[in-house]
Amino acid sequence: MPSVKIFYAVKCNDNKTLLETLAILGVGFDCASKKEIRQVMSLGVSPSRIIYAHPCKSEHDLRYASKVSLTLMTFDSPEELLKVKKCYPEAELVLRIRCDALEATYKLGSKYGASTRDTKALLSMAKDLGLDVVGVSFHVGSGCQELEVYSRAIAKAKQVFNEAEDLGMRLTLLDLGGGFPGRISDGMEKFASVINSALDEYFPPQDHKDLKIIGEPGRYVSTSAFTLATSIRAKKTVVEDGQVVKMYYINDGVYCSFSAILAEGEIYSPVVLNNSTEEDTERSMIWGPSCCSLDVLKKTIRLPNLECSDWLYWPDMGAYTLSNVSPFNGFPHPVVHAMASPETWSRLQELSERDNKMGIHCNGGYLEKGMAQTD
Ligand SMILES: Cc1ncc(COP(=O)(O)O)c(C=O)c1O
């Protein structure tokens, strides 16, 4: 999607090495809280590369945005307009509209996004208040499984651009939100093809020369960049329904990297990392380390016989994993070890020095191969 600039959704994974890498690559950021804004700005990213993409902010956070001159932000209600008028009247506002995918893992429309019934009144109110509305955004739902929704959402956004024009306002920003797939095998190309066609149809470049188009992908950026390595802390054998079951307790669970299991079920699949040539598998269960019985990662899985301190690894663990860890039960959280090829690493260093940005800090520089062992 060559016309779309990425504003990475920090909530998805705020790992420092990831944010630094994106900052060096010139990516923009979607921040939804004061802490995220601080985190990104501490990397030397200017506020002009950030969108404050939260339609319902506190007055305190709005004043903070004003203090650091972060102007671009979303809204979806009259109440938010009044708050912006009071706390940050110079803000550049993006009207978030609702357009829900028929299928998405997390439907966001019931929480945020103005109905198209209300958009004209909101634009008119902003105008009366002397506020600057610069664009339209939407989020079709995280983990979107319906391609055509992007076309519907872009068409709705175009309607709002027209309504603004009728009111004598000129919008120049279209924000496609997130929802794009994370795993490489899910295929981003089909999403890109629907989006590019809809952009050509509703926002042809010749009629929208000064239009800036951005997206706020979270999963798309971080999912496949992270692999989680877990070790077996304890095991026991039980008999259930007359069948022998091996119970493995690993060092990560639903109160840490696997929290999505509570909402989405058993979405992750482990790979056994050992040198065993043993072909035989046994009925097994994988548990997280806590005392809670909800902390189960696989209720039934076939695994070879594993020993304590054997490793399982889990690919595609970069989205909504590290950012959801809780202190429950006191078990340690994963440590991130950065790995890059020497070519990638030196390219990033070059870019960082060229632009005089902060470098990438990660424990021990790059590790070309192998994994550090950590509990
Ligand atoms: C406003 C906003 N933008 C972007 C994202 C990132 O979405 P995704 O990870 O589905 O790309 C979210 C996720 O909830 C969001 O709320």
Side-chain angles (χ1 to χ4, degrees):
M1 301 193 292
S3 57
V4 183
K5 187 164 165 45
I6 289 184
F7 277 60
Y8 170 66
V10 175
K11 62 182 80 66
C12 188
N13 184 334
D14 68 351
N15 172 256
K16 194 171 180 207
T17 309
L18 173 65
L19 296 183
E20 284 171 339
T21 305
L22 295 172
I24 287 171
L25 293 173
V27 162
F29 295 90
D30 147 10
C31 296
S33 67
K34 183 173 165 181
K35 181 165 175 255
E36 289 180 359
I37 296 167
R38 272 214 178 116
Q39 236 175 326
V40 168
M41 287 184 64
S42 75
L43 304 176
V45 173
S46 100
S48 62
R49 276 169 65 192
I50 302 175
I51 179 165
Y52 191 174
H54 197 312
C56 298
K57 297 166 280 300
S58 71
E59 287 195 7
H60 173 84
D61 287 356
L62 263 176
R63 290 207 175 86
Y64 174 73
S66 164
K67 193 171 120 196
V68 299
S69 302
L70 197 185
T71 50
L72 193 62
M73 57 186 67
T74 57
F75 78 102
D76 67 357
S77 66
E79 289 83 352
E80 191 72 3
L81 283 177
L82 292 174
K83 213 185 303 162
V84 171
K85 175 75 182 169
K86 180 172 162 196
C87 304
Y88 194 7
E90 303 81 18
E92 295 180 335
L93 296 168
V94 179
L95 174 50
R96 175 155 161 190
I97 58 170
R98 176 173 183 178
C99 186
D100 300 341
L102 297 177
E103 271 187 69
T105 314
Y106 296 94
K107 295 188 171 175
L108 304 173
S110 55
K111 192 165 183 182
Y112 300 117
S115 148
T116 28
R117 268 193 322 270
D118 301 326
T119 49
K120 192 151 192 185
L122 284 167
L123 290 170
S124 175
M125 179 176 171
K127 187 178 174 190
D128 292 345
L129 289 170
L131 298 174
D132 188 13
V133 180
V134 298
V136 177
S137 75
F138 53 79
H139 195 306
V140 298
S142 192
C144 170
Q145 286 131 47
E146 192 224 350
L147 298 177
E148 285 305 319
V149 68
Y150 286 97
S151 186
R152 286 200 302 282
I154 291 167
K156 280 189 177 192
K158 174 66 179 181
Q159 260 178 47
V160 181
F161 270 63
N162 291 342
E163 288 171 353
E165 205 175 314
D166 292 346
L167 290 165
M169 303 159 89
R170 240 181 96 263
L171 306 188
T172 53
L173 181 81
L174 174 63
D175 176 354
L176 309 177
F180 314 105
R183 287 173 306 191
I184 290 169
S185 58
D186 290 337
M188 181 61 194
E189 293 79 5
K190 49 188 193 275
F191 284 77
S193 148
V194 169
I195 290 169
N196 288 335
S197 306
L199 289 176
D200 277 348
E201 182 176 349
Y202 297 104
F203 292 92
Q206 65 276 17
D207 299 344
H208 294 273
K209 293 217 168 62
D210 56 354
L211 180 68
K212 183 175 170 190
I213 309 173
I214 67 171
E216 299 167 0
R219 294 174 190 278
Y220 171 65
V221 172
S222 62
T223 301
S224 62
F226 286 70
T227 298
L228 176 69
T230 58
S231 64
I232 294 165
R233 300 165 45 86
K235 81 183 246 199
K236 70 182 183 189
T237 306
V238 297
V239 177
E240 217 181 75
D241 306 328
Q243 266 199 312
V244 173
V245 181
K246 289 278 172 63
M247 311 248 274
Y248 296 106
Y249 300 83
I250 66 169
N251 62 346
D252 199 328
V254 301
Y255 295 100
C256 195
S257 308
F258 293 92
S259 63
I261 286 179
L262 293 172
E264 298 177 51
E266 296 181 19
I267 51 174
Y268 303 110
S269 302
V271 185
V272 179
L273 181 78
N274 69 3
N275 297 324
S276 157
T277 49
E278 193 177 353
E279 295 281 300
D280 286 346
T281 58
E282 306 163 304
R283 187 173 154 193
S284 310
M285 254 182 119
I286 306 177
W287 295 91
S290 73
C291 299
C292 174
S293 61
L294 292 178
D295 192 4
V296 57
L297 311 183
K298 288 284 175 192
K299 292 197 183 96
T300 306
I301 183 171
R302 304 289 309 182
L303 290 173
N305 179 43
L306 300 172
E307 300 302 336
C308 286
S309 81
D310 273 345
W311 290 78
L312 296 172
Y313 69 93
W314 310 71
D316 295 324
M317 288 294 292
Y320 305 107
T321 47
L322 289 172
S323 54
N324 286 354
V325 297
S326 103
F328 178 64
N329 229 173
F331 290 99
H333 298 156
V335 178
V336 176
H337 296 271
M339 300 166 72
S341 68
E343 293 76 29
T344 302
W345 181 254
S346 46
R347 181 79 184 121
L348 285 170
Q349 296 297 340
E350 259 169 48
L351 285 174
S352 156
E353 279 155 28
R354 189 196 67 188
D355 299 341
N356 202 18
K357 289 185 189 121
M358 297 168 83
I360 301 189
H361 306 91
C362 55
N363 24 7
Y366 74 86
L367 302 172
E368 197 183 351
K369 33 183 141 95
M371 270 183 208
Q373 295 216 350
T374 168
D375 187 32

